Amino acid sequence: MSEQLFKQTPETPTIIIERDDEGTSTSTAAPRRTWRFWLATAIVAAAAMLAMAVALYMWRYYYHIGVPVSVTPAENIEKLQAPLTRQAPEVVATSDSILGVALNLYRLKGLQATIELAEPDEGDSTIFLYSRCADYTPEGKILGSLVADGQVLQTDRSRLGYMAMAEGRMVIGISRSDKVKDYVAEHGGSFFRQFILVSDGVLPPKFYLHGKVERRAIGRMGNSIYYIATRHKETLWDFADALREYGFVDAIYITGGNAHSYYRDGNLTAHDLGESTINDSIGSQDTTAQLVTPWLVFRPCN
């Protein structure tokens, strides 16, 4: 054979690449959002904003009241549940003057309080002191929450000061919460609301009664409760400032600064408080209103 028979042309290989596009796509395109998706998102966002607005409103309504608070409603309920300390019943009367305001102070010892709808008789020797408490309109509508002997007569949180009485104990406090009122109602006690004079040693930013008249209050200094009356006509701000300077931690207003009532001394002798039925309450003191006047009455603890 000739040499050329052994020379062959080299064969060029054919390379075939197969691709399977199904199931191996690496596309990163975002899924299409439908109008339903955007509507649901908007509803969720609006609901969240509404919940936050309601929570803020409720916080401001119940807790942001413009003054610090010395005793919470829960702490006052604990005081109403505490064992009763027995003392000889007595109204300890003293007089003093501070910041130019002359005060008569009546420390209440060994006494329990109730709210009654009939004015006490001076001949009732079981009564050591009584006075007005809640306000009312000329039509006889009570202003501020009122509970008497466990019966809720009015629920109105417009006034933030309160006094609560149950099972021989009594407390005063500052709060818009109804927890103390509800506790008192469940335990057959009494409760009323009034204007703040002093809260945790601080005056409120605004007073709603003006002019000069005789003033009265219920105040707490330490663990003692006092009934307080001015000897002369005073503005409400001057009265409250005098109570703060004197050392009252909390104090709430009592209308009817010159309304007649009485207290008994250690010999059970009755002494007049006030001179007439004229008072500075909201609403006039007419015959119709007198029929529904709530009276704060102090008697010896049972």
Side-chain angles (χ1 to χ4, degrees):
M1 289 184 177
S2 65
E3 184 178 348
Q4 291 183 349
L5 293 177
F6 294 96
K7 291 181 180 181
Q8 297 182 6
T9 302
E11 184 177 347
T12 303
T14 301
I15 301 173
I16 300 174
I17 301 175
E18 296 184 1
R19 294 183 179 179
D20 184 0
D21 291 335
E22 295 184 6
T24 61
S25 174
T26 58
S27 174
T28 58
R32 185 179 179 183
R33 307 297 190 186
T34 66
W35 67 269
R36 292 185 179 85
F37 171 85
W38 294 115
L39 177 61
T41 301
I43 292 174
V44 171
M49 293 178 64
L50 178 61
M52 292 176 62
V54 170
L56 178 61
Y57 171 81
M58 296 301 290
W59 178 84
R60 291 181 62 86
Y61 183 78
Y62 282 101
Y63 300 104
H64 188 67
I65 58 178
V67 289
V69 174
S70 65
V71 185
T72 66
E75 290 169 336
N76 263 342
I77 290 174
E78 289 180 2
K79 289 184 178 183
L80 293 172
Q81 295 171 333
L84 187 61
T85 301
R86 298 289 179 177
Q87 290 180 302
E90 185 179 8
V91 176
V92 182
T94 57
S95 297
D96 210 336
S97 181
I98 190 167
L99 300 179
V101 177
L103 301 173
N104 289 333
L105 302 108
Y106 305 91
R107 184 183 176 191
L108 308 171
K109 298 176 60 178
L111 300 173
Q112 61 183 3
T114 58
I115 291 177
E116 302 177 9
L117 301 183
E119 185 171 3
D121 189 326
E122 189 167 332
D124 188 346
S125 61
T126 67
I127 297 174
F128 274 60
L129 187 148
Y130 82 95
S131 80
R132 290 278 308 279
C133 57
D135 270 322
Y136 49 80
T137 68
E139 296 75 27
K141 179 183 177 182
I142 299 298
L143 300 173
S145 297
L146 182 68
V147 180
D149 291 331
Q151 182 180 0
V152 179
L153 303 177
Q154 178 66 282
T155 297
D156 172 12
R157 294 188 292 265
S158 59
R159 298 184 179 186
L160 304 185
Y162 67 85
M163 182 174 183
M165 307 139 255
E167 299 176 328
R169 305 163 191 83
M170 53 188 176
V171 297
I172 63 174
I174 312 297
S175 176
R176 202 186 297 273
S177 168
D178 277 336
K179 291 180 180 179
V180 178
K181 176 184 76 72
D182 294 341
Y183 174 86
V184 164
E186 292 171 2
H187 290 79
S190 298
F191 177 100
F192 72 93
R193 284 189 177 276
Q194 263 294 358
F195 293 118
I196 303 170
L197 294 181
V198 183
S199 180
D200 197 19
V202 175
L203 303 188
K206 183 177 180 179
F207 290 105
Y208 296 91
L209 299 177
H210 306 285
K212 283 192 171 185
V213 297
E214 290 84 356
R215 306 287 185 182
R216 297 190 185 185
I218 291 283
R220 178 179 68 84
M221 190 158 45
N223 293 321
S224 298
I225 301 293
Y226 289 76
Y227 186 81
I228 311 116
T230 64
R231 294 201 294 275
H232 310 294
K233 295 180 179 181
E234 306 288 352
T235 67
L236 196 56
W237 192 94
D238 286 341
F239 181 39
D241 196 35
L243 296 178
R244 177 199 60 78
E245 185 70 16
Y246 199 80
F248 284 96
V249 178
D250 296 317
I252 63 173
Y253 194 54
I254 297 293
T255 53
N258 202 31
H260 179 264
S261 59
Y262 66 82
Y263 79 94
R264 294 187 187 278
D265 61 21
N267 297 319
L268 300 184
T269 302
H271 299 267
D272 286 339
L273 290 171
E275 299 174 358
S276 70
T277 57
I278 299 173
N279 63 83
D280 62 346
S281 65
I282 297 177
S284 62
Q285 178 94 334
D286 60 9
T287 303
T288 301
Q290 288 180 15
L291 296 176
V292 295
T293 301
W295 300 95
L296 179 60
V297 182
F298 296 90
R299 290 184 170 88
C301 293
N302 295 329

